[in-house]
Amino acid sequence: MSQENTPSTNTSTGPVIAVFCGASSGISPAHLSAARSLANAMHAISATLIYGAGTTGIMGEIARTLVSLSGPQSVHGIIPRSLLGKERPAESGGKDEQTFGLKTIVKGMHERKALMGQKVRDGGPGSGFVALSGG
């Protein structure tokens, strides 16, 4: 399910965590392991993930892991239209939302970052930003 230019619609009172990470897997297995560990920690506190909507590398790993633990409603990817063509097809048999959560398509990078920030501000206590290295 893709939406365009959606205003902030987070109705969750739980924490919302925006994660900045890469679409590559990094040079060490520790990078993907860190993504899985963060997803497990987010699941434990019923947090929602806001991320760049990638399906590969560290981005794909954290999203896929959290969806498997908490369901697709726990993940919201935000991607600029210009990056859609660079995104590899999902390995999910065409079921992106069931594997990677909700996806919102925005006009550009500025709008992406602004919407990610708004989602975090609308989140409950414990909301914030995390940057993962390696991608």
Side-chain angles (χ1 to χ4, degrees):
M1 172 182 223
S2 294
Q3 300 174 348
E4 278 211 50
N5 303 323
T6 57
S8 181
T9 57
N10 178 32
T11 57
S12 169
T13 56
V16 175
I17 301 173
V19 177
F20 294 93
C21 55
S24 74
S25 298
I27 58 172
S28 168
H31 296 122
L32 291 178
S33 179
R36 289 188 292 273
S37 293
L38 181 55
N40 276 282
M42 291 176 69
H43 171 69
I45 62 169
S46 299
T48 297
L49 168 66
I50 304 297
Y51 81 117
T55 59
T56 60
I58 296 169
M59 269 198 246
E61 192 67 22
I62 191 169
R64 191 172 25 254
T65 301
L66 189 56
V67 165
S68 74
L69 296 168
S70 299
Q73 75 287 347
S74 65
V75 176
H76 185 166
I78 301 171
I79 189 167
R81 181 170 301 287
S82 63
L83 293 181
L84 283 173
K86 297 179 191 291
E87 182 63 24
R88 294 183 197 158
E91 299 168 5
S92 62
K95 298 180 181 173
D96 283 350
E97 190 170 328
Q98 293 303 308
T99 304
F100 300 103
L102 176 71
K103 182 188 298 181
T104 298
I105 302 166
V106 295
K107 290 180 184 176
M109 293 296 278
H110 179 74
E111 188 177 357
R112 175 199 223 178
K113 289 178 184 178
L115 184 54
M116 290 175 80
Q118 186 62 52
K119 295 286 186 183
V120 170
R121 285 189 297 279
D122 290 347
S127 295
F129 298 88
V130 173
L132 292 176
S133 66

